[in-house]
Amino acid sequence: MKKMKLIITKNYEEMSSTAADLVIKQIRWKNASVIGLATGSSPLGMYRCLSREWKSGHISLSEIHGYNLDEYQGLSKSDPQSFYYYLKTNLVDVTDFKEQNLHVLDGMREDIDSVCADYEKDIRASGGLDLQLLGLGETGHIGFNEPDTSFPRYTHQVKLEEKTIMANARFFASPEQVPHAALTMGIGTIMSARKILLIVSGLPKAKMLYQVLLGEVRPSVPASILQFHPDVTIIADEDASHVVREKTGFGGTTYEL
Ligand code: GLP
């Protein structure tokens, strides 16, 4: 099993371009890659870089299939706060990524169990995830897998933690508008990806990143499970890696953990 690779970048911009380079490398290696997508503020800059590279004619995303990690319940595709809308505007509309290749859990349907089971089947039928992109929640969540007493295996429904609702309220007009439930890939779904790329930016994530990378692997820190994945790259900016650097004495830019 390879060690986890940690790349430390100066700032958000460098984190974004380094992450985009790894995605581009994956696409060049396999045009029709199946990529697990992420939303939130962390990957925004990376999507911007991918769009720039496409506009300059360096890459094509037309063969990629994307499966997003998660979706709020009760928000339709056309709701500007839905993750579908995010990916439509930040990926589909600004590159040649085909909308029919964009797969996002449907948070409007009531037959939640079949939505979740079908998502798992669809990912498997497409050959499995070649690369999973991840951001890190302040609670240590990946996707919407909140701290728990066990690691949920498959795609499922979750109740969001108060801290997550408050953290995501910045995207909504008021905290009351943030849905309290969501659908998310399970930890097992995420861990089934052949490669994982976690990007982390900003001081508020610094303590959590230390626990994730160097703490005990436990379901109360969901992202700590990544320590058991055979091929993980973490790209963290100086702020997010602050505690890791302080506790380990790392002074350079690339490490194996
Ligand atoms: C959200 C999403 C996650 C995301 C995380 C971090 O709640 N469900 O997929 O990675 O929180 O978000 P941000 O990048 O905006 O800090």
PDB file of all heavy atoms in Angstrom, residues 4 140 149 151 207-228:
ATOM      1  N   MET A   4       0.158   7.934   1.959  1.00  0.00           N
ATOM      2  CA  MET A   4      -0.605   9.094   1.491  1.00  0.00           C
ATOM      3  C   MET A   4       0.391  10.172   1.075  1.00  0.00           C
ATOM      4  O   MET A   4       1.428  10.352   1.721  1.00  0.00           O
ATOM      5  CB  MET A   4      -1.475   9.657   2.613  1.00  0.00           C
ATOM      6  CG  MET A   4      -2.594   8.749   3.016  1.00  0.00           C
ATOM      7  SD  MET A   4      -3.756   9.598   4.124  1.00  0.00           S
ATOM      8  CE  MET A   4      -2.771   9.784   5.580  1.00  0.00           C
ATOM      9  N   GLY A 140     -15.075  17.182   9.914  1.00  0.00           N
ATOM     10  CA  GLY A 140     -14.291  16.020   9.487  1.00  0.00           C
ATOM     11  C   GLY A 140     -15.048  15.196   8.468  1.00  0.00           C
ATOM     12  O   GLY A 140     -14.646  14.094   8.103  1.00  0.00           O
ATOM     13  N   THR A 149     -20.904   6.615  14.723  1.00  0.00           N
ATOM     14  CA  THR A 149     -20.313   5.551  15.535  1.00  0.00           C
ATOM     15  C   THR A 149     -19.813   4.408  14.653  1.00  0.00           C
ATOM     16  O   THR A 149     -19.196   3.460  15.125  1.00  0.00           O
ATOM     17  CB  THR A 149     -21.345   4.986  16.533  1.00  0.00           C
ATOM     18  OG1 THR A 149     -22.535   4.704  15.787  1.00  0.00           O
ATOM     19  CG2 THR A 149     -21.664   6.005  17.614  1.00  0.00           C
ATOM     20  N   PHE A 151     -18.703   3.574  10.162  1.00  0.00           N
ATOM     21  CA  PHE A 151     -18.501   4.169   8.837  1.00  0.00           C
ATOM     22  C   PHE A 151     -19.613   3.668   7.905  1.00  0.00           C
ATOM     23  O   PHE A 151     -19.643   2.465   7.609  1.00  0.00           O
ATOM     24  CB  PHE A 151     -17.144   3.750   8.258  1.00  0.00           C
ATOM     25  CG  PHE A 151     -15.967   4.347   8.963  1.00  0.00           C
ATOM     26  CD1 PHE A 151     -15.144   3.570   9.770  1.00  0.00           C
ATOM     27  CD2 PHE A 151     -15.652   5.699   8.818  1.00  0.00           C
ATOM     28  CE1 PHE A 151     -14.034   4.114  10.417  1.00  0.00           C
ATOM     29  CE2 PHE A 151     -14.550   6.256   9.457  1.00  0.00           C
ATOM     30  CZ  PHE A 151     -13.741   5.462  10.255  1.00  0.00           C
ATOM     31  N   LYS A 207      -6.907  22.199  12.308  1.00  0.00           N
ATOM     32  CA  LYS A 207      -6.894  21.199  13.394  1.00  0.00           C
ATOM     33  C   LYS A 207      -7.479  19.889  12.898  1.00  0.00           C
ATOM     34  O   LYS A 207      -6.992  18.808  13.201  1.00  0.00           O
ATOM     35  CB  LYS A 207      -7.735  21.709  14.576  1.00  0.00           C
ATOM     36  CG  LYS A 207      -6.959  22.612  15.489  1.00  0.00           C
ATOM     37  CD  LYS A 207      -7.732  22.790  16.790  1.00  0.00           C
ATOM     38  CE  LYS A 207      -7.073  23.869  17.608  1.00  0.00           C
ATOM     39  NZ  LYS A 207      -8.037  24.682  18.357  1.00  0.00           N
ATOM     40  N   MET A 208      -8.576  20.017  12.141  1.00  0.00           N
ATOM     41  CA  MET A 208      -9.235  18.822  11.633  1.00  0.00           C
ATOM     42  C   MET A 208      -8.317  18.063  10.678  1.00  0.00           C
ATOM     43  O   MET A 208      -8.232  16.839  10.725  1.00  0.00           O
ATOM     44  CB  MET A 208     -10.559  19.222  10.954  1.00  0.00           C
ATOM     45  CG  MET A 208     -11.399  18.065  10.502  1.00  0.00           C
ATOM     46  SD  MET A 208     -11.610  16.744  11.739  1.00  0.00           S
ATOM     47  CE  MET A 208     -12.821  17.458  12.835  1.00  0.00           C
ATOM     48  N   LEU A 209      -7.593  18.788   9.833  1.00  0.00           N
ATOM     49  CA  LEU A 209      -6.712  18.101   8.882  1.00  0.00           C
ATOM     50  C   LEU A 209      -5.642  17.297   9.624  1.00  0.00           C
ATOM     51  O   LEU A 209      -5.295  16.184   9.224  1.00  0.00           O
ATOM     52  CB  LEU A 209      -6.067  19.094   7.904  1.00  0.00           C
ATOM     53  CG  LEU A 209      -5.227  18.425   6.822  1.00  0.00           C
ATOM     54  CD1 LEU A 209      -6.088  17.539   5.914  1.00  0.00           C
ATOM     55  CD2 LEU A 209      -4.491  19.458   5.959  1.00  0.00           C
ATOM     56  N   TYR A 210      -5.165  17.845  10.723  1.00  0.00           N
ATOM     57  CA  TYR A 210      -4.164  17.112  11.512  1.00  0.00           C
ATOM     58  C   TYR A 210      -4.764  15.789  12.024  1.00  0.00           C
ATOM     59  O   TYR A 210      -4.160  14.730  11.909  1.00  0.00           O
ATOM     60  CB  TYR A 210      -3.670  17.976  12.682  1.00  0.00           C
ATOM     61  CG  TYR A 210      -2.744  17.214  13.592  1.00  0.00           C
ATOM     62  CD1 TYR A 210      -1.437  16.946  13.198  1.00  0.00           C
ATOM     63  CD2 TYR A 210      -3.185  16.734  14.821  1.00  0.00           C
ATOM     64  CE1 TYR A 210      -0.585  16.208  14.012  1.00  0.00           C
ATOM     65  CE2 TYR A 210      -2.343  15.990  15.643  1.00  0.00           C
ATOM     66  CZ  TYR A 210      -1.050  15.742  15.232  1.00  0.00           C
ATOM     67  OH  TYR A 210      -0.203  14.997  16.026  1.00  0.00           O
ATOM     68  N   GLN A 211      -5.991  15.875  12.558  1.00  0.00           N
ATOM     69  CA  GLN A 211      -6.649  14.652  13.067  1.00  0.00           C
ATOM     70  C   GLN A 211      -6.888  13.646  11.950  1.00  0.00           C
ATOM     71  O   GLN A 211      -6.758  12.444  12.132  1.00  0.00           O
ATOM     72  CB  GLN A 211      -8.011  15.016  13.652  1.00  0.00           C
ATOM     73  CG  GLN A 211      -7.945  15.659  14.992  1.00  0.00           C
ATOM     74  CD  GLN A 211      -9.327  15.644  15.637  1.00  0.00           C
ATOM     75  OE1 GLN A 211      -9.965  14.605  15.742  1.00  0.00           O
ATOM     76  NE2 GLN A 211      -9.805  16.812  16.030  1.00  0.00           N
ATOM     77  N   VAL A 212      -7.273  14.169  10.790  1.00  0.00           N
ATOM     78  CA  VAL A 212      -7.569  13.300   9.647  1.00  0.00           C
ATOM     79  C   VAL A 212      -6.320  12.546   9.201  1.00  0.00           C
ATOM     80  O   VAL A 212      -6.360  11.345   8.940  1.00  0.00           O
ATOM     81  CB  VAL A 212      -8.136  14.146   8.473  1.00  0.00           C
ATOM     82  CG1 VAL A 212      -8.151  13.370   7.174  1.00  0.00           C
ATOM     83  CG2 VAL A 212      -9.535  14.647   8.823  1.00  0.00           C
ATOM     84  N   LEU A 213      -5.207  13.255   9.114  1.00  0.00           N
ATOM     85  CA  LEU A 213      -4.005  12.641   8.546  1.00  0.00           C
ATOM     86  C   LEU A 213      -3.177  11.875   9.566  1.00  0.00           C
ATOM     87  O   LEU A 213      -2.591  10.849   9.242  1.00  0.00           O
ATOM     88  CB  LEU A 213      -3.115  13.719   7.899  1.00  0.00           C
ATOM     89  CG  LEU A 213      -3.748  14.510   6.762  1.00  0.00           C
ATOM     90  CD1 LEU A 213      -2.723  15.466   6.155  1.00  0.00           C
ATOM     91  CD2 LEU A 213      -4.293  13.575   5.694  1.00  0.00           C
ATOM     92  N   LEU A 214      -3.139  12.379  10.792  1.00  0.00           N
ATOM     93  CA  LEU A 214      -2.207  11.791  11.758  1.00  0.00           C
ATOM     94  C   LEU A 214      -2.878  11.295  13.036  1.00  0.00           C
ATOM     95  O   LEU A 214      -2.224  10.737  13.904  1.00  0.00           O
ATOM     96  CB  LEU A 214      -1.100  12.804  12.075  1.00  0.00           C
ATOM     97  CG  LEU A 214      -0.217  13.075  10.840  1.00  0.00           C
ATOM     98  CD1 LEU A 214       0.402  14.453  10.889  1.00  0.00           C
ATOM     99  CD2 LEU A 214       0.861  12.019  10.702  1.00  0.00           C
ATOM    100  N   GLY A 215      -4.185  11.492  13.151  1.00  0.00           N
ATOM    101  CA  GLY A 215      -4.903  11.002  14.332  1.00  0.00           C
ATOM    102  C   GLY A 215      -5.334   9.554  14.137  1.00  0.00           C
ATOM    103  O   GLY A 215      -5.023   8.918  13.129  1.00  0.00           O
ATOM    104  N   GLU A 216      -6.060   9.069  15.149  1.00  0.00           N
ATOM    105  CA  GLU A 216      -6.564   7.693  15.098  1.00  0.00           C
ATOM    106  C   GLU A 216      -7.664   7.600  14.034  1.00  0.00           C
ATOM    107  O   GLU A 216      -8.431   8.554  13.860  1.00  0.00           O
ATOM    108  CB  GLU A 216      -7.160   7.401  16.483  1.00  0.00           C
ATOM    109  CG  GLU A 216      -7.501   5.973  16.756  1.00  0.00           C
ATOM    110  CD  GLU A 216      -8.306   5.869  18.051  1.00  0.00           C
ATOM    111  OE1 GLU A 216      -8.087   6.713  18.958  1.00  0.00           O
ATOM    112  OE2 GLU A 216      -9.147   4.979  18.124  1.00  0.00           O
ATOM    113  N   VAL A 217      -7.732   6.473  13.326  1.00  0.00           N
ATOM    114  CA  VAL A 217      -8.803   6.282  12.347  1.00  0.00           C
ATOM    115  C   VAL A 217     -10.066   5.895  13.111  1.00  0.00           C
ATOM    116  O   VAL A 217     -10.105   4.865  13.787  1.00  0.00           O
ATOM    117  CB  VAL A 217      -8.426   5.169  11.340  1.00  0.00           C
ATOM    118  CG1 VAL A 217      -9.593   4.866  10.417  1.00  0.00           C
ATOM    119  CG2 VAL A 217      -7.185   5.583  10.556  1.00  0.00           C
ATOM    120  N   ARG A 218     -11.075   6.755  13.049  1.00  0.00           N
ATOM    121  CA  ARG A 218     -12.291   6.464  13.808  1.00  0.00           C
ATOM    122  C   ARG A 218     -13.489   7.162  13.169  1.00  0.00           C
ATOM    123  O   ARG A 218     -13.319   8.243  12.566  1.00  0.00           O
ATOM    124  CB  ARG A 218     -12.136   6.885  15.267  1.00  0.00           C
ATOM    125  CG  ARG A 218     -11.718   8.324  15.484  1.00  0.00           C
ATOM    126  CD  ARG A 218     -11.450   8.541  16.985  1.00  0.00           C
ATOM    127  NE  ARG A 218     -11.466   9.962  17.331  1.00  0.00           N
ATOM    128  CZ  ARG A 218     -10.402  10.755  17.229  1.00  0.00           C
ATOM    129  NH1 ARG A 218      -9.260  10.298  16.755  1.00  0.00           N
ATOM    130  NH2 ARG A 218     -10.500  12.025  17.576  1.00  0.00           N
ATOM    131  N   PRO A 219     -14.677   6.566  13.292  1.00  0.00           N
ATOM    132  CA  PRO A 219     -15.856   7.122  12.607  1.00  0.00           C
ATOM    133  C   PRO A 219     -16.274   8.496  13.113  1.00  0.00           C
ATOM    134  O   PRO A 219     -17.031   9.194  12.438  1.00  0.00           O
ATOM    135  CB  PRO A 219     -16.961   6.091  12.848  1.00  0.00           C
ATOM    136  CG  PRO A 219     -16.451   5.166  13.868  1.00  0.00           C
ATOM    137  CD  PRO A 219     -14.967   5.288  13.966  1.00  0.00           C
ATOM    138  N   SER A 220     -15.756   8.910  14.284  1.00  0.00           N
ATOM    139  CA  SER A 220     -16.096  10.259  14.749  1.00  0.00           C
ATOM    140  C   SER A 220     -15.281  11.307  13.975  1.00  0.00           C
ATOM    141  O   SER A 220     -15.557  12.492  14.062  1.00  0.00           O
ATOM    142  CB  SER A 220     -15.838  10.389  16.253  1.00  0.00           C
ATOM    143  OG  SER A 220     -14.509  10.030  16.535  1.00  0.00           O
ATOM    144  N   VAL A 221     -14.292  10.846  13.218  1.00  0.00           N
ATOM    145  CA  VAL A 221     -13.554  11.709  12.277  1.00  0.00           C
ATOM    146  C   VAL A 221     -13.631  10.999  10.915  1.00  0.00           C
ATOM    147  O   VAL A 221     -12.699  10.304  10.512  1.00  0.00           O
ATOM    148  CB  VAL A 221     -12.076  11.893  12.696  1.00  0.00           C
ATOM    149  CG1 VAL A 221     -11.352  12.836  11.728  1.00  0.00           C
ATOM    150  CG2 VAL A 221     -11.971  12.431  14.113  1.00  0.00           C
ATOM    151  N   PRO A 222     -14.768  11.134  10.227  1.00  0.00           N
ATOM    152  CA  PRO A 222     -15.002  10.291   9.044  1.00  0.00           C
ATOM    153  C   PRO A 222     -13.853  10.280   8.035  1.00  0.00           C
ATOM    154  O   PRO A 222     -13.492   9.227   7.511  1.00  0.00           O
ATOM    155  CB  PRO A 222     -16.275  10.892   8.435  1.00  0.00           C
ATOM    156  CG  PRO A 222     -16.966  11.551   9.587  1.00  0.00           C
ATOM    157  CD  PRO A 222     -15.895  12.036  10.516  1.00  0.00           C
ATOM    158  N   ALA A 223     -13.238  11.448   7.790  1.00  0.00           N
ATOM    159  CA  ALA A 223     -12.193  11.499   6.760  1.00  0.00           C
ATOM    160  C   ALA A 223     -10.925  10.741   7.159  1.00  0.00           C
ATOM    161  O   ALA A 223     -10.075  10.461   6.307  1.00  0.00           O
ATOM    162  CB  ALA A 223     -11.842  12.950   6.436  1.00  0.00           C
ATOM    163  N   SER A 224     -10.794  10.379   8.458  1.00  0.00           N
ATOM    164  CA  SER A 224      -9.588   9.652   8.887  1.00  0.00           C
ATOM    165  C   SER A 224      -9.485   8.293   8.198  1.00  0.00           C
ATOM    166  O   SER A 224      -8.400   7.724   8.088  1.00  0.00           O
ATOM    167  CB  SER A 224      -9.557   9.486  10.411  1.00  0.00           C
ATOM    168  OG  SER A 224     -10.657   8.703  10.833  1.00  0.00           O
ATOM    169  N   ILE A 225     -10.613   7.759   7.705  1.00  0.00           N
ATOM    170  CA  ILE A 225     -10.606   6.466   7.002  1.00  0.00           C
ATOM    171  C   ILE A 225      -9.686   6.510   5.778  1.00  0.00           C
ATOM    172  O   ILE A 225      -9.189   5.483   5.325  1.00  0.00           O
ATOM    173  CB  ILE A 225     -12.054   6.063   6.580  1.00  0.00           C
ATOM    174  CG1 ILE A 225     -12.138   4.596   6.125  1.00  0.00           C
ATOM    175  CG2 ILE A 225     -12.581   6.941   5.460  1.00  0.00           C
ATOM    176  CD1 ILE A 225     -12.168   3.626   7.240  1.00  0.00           C
ATOM    177  N   LEU A 226      -9.442   7.717   5.276  1.00  0.00           N
ATOM    178  CA  LEU A 226      -8.586   7.845   4.082  1.00  0.00           C
ATOM    179  C   LEU A 226      -7.179   7.297   4.343  1.00  0.00           C
ATOM    180  O   LEU A 226      -6.476   6.929   3.409  1.00  0.00           O
ATOM    181  CB  LEU A 226      -8.510   9.306   3.610  1.00  0.00           C
ATOM    182  CG  LEU A 226      -9.845   9.923   3.175  1.00  0.00           C
ATOM    183  CD1 LEU A 226      -9.658  11.395   2.822  1.00  0.00           C
ATOM    184  CD2 LEU A 226     -10.446   9.171   1.993  1.00  0.00           C
ATOM    185  N   GLN A 227      -6.790   7.236   5.607  1.00  0.00           N
ATOM    186  CA  GLN A 227      -5.473   6.659   5.933  1.00  0.00           C
ATOM    187  C   GLN A 227      -5.370   5.212   5.460  1.00  0.00           C
ATOM    188  O   GLN A 227      -4.281   4.688   5.272  1.00  0.00           O
ATOM    189  CB  GLN A 227      -5.226   6.710   7.443  1.00  0.00           C
ATOM    190  CG  GLN A 227      -5.074   8.111   7.997  1.00  0.00           C
ATOM    191  CD  GLN A 227      -4.778   8.087   9.502  1.00  0.00           C
ATOM    192  OE1 GLN A 227      -4.174   7.157  10.027  1.00  0.00           O
ATOM    193  NE2 GLN A 227      -5.217   9.117  10.211  1.00  0.00           N
ATOM    194  N   PHE A 228      -6.538   4.550   5.291  1.00  0.00           N
ATOM    195  CA  PHE A 228      -6.546   3.138   4.875  1.00  0.00           C
ATOM    196  C   PHE A 228      -6.710   2.967   3.369  1.00  0.00           C
ATOM    197  O   PHE A 228      -6.819   1.851   2.886  1.00  0.00           O
ATOM    198  CB  PHE A 228      -7.678   2.381   5.586  1.00  0.00           C
ATOM    199  CG  PHE A 228      -7.468   2.198   7.070  1.00  0.00           C
ATOM    200  CD1 PHE A 228      -8.537   1.885   7.897  1.00  0.00           C
ATOM    201  CD2 PHE A 228      -6.205   2.332   7.630  1.00  0.00           C
ATOM    202  CE1 PHE A 228      -8.355   1.700   9.262  1.00  0.00           C
ATOM    203  CE2 PHE A 228      -6.012   2.153   8.998  1.00  0.00           C
ATOM    204  CZ  PHE A 228      -7.096   1.841   9.810  1.00  0.00           C
TER     205      PHE A 228
END
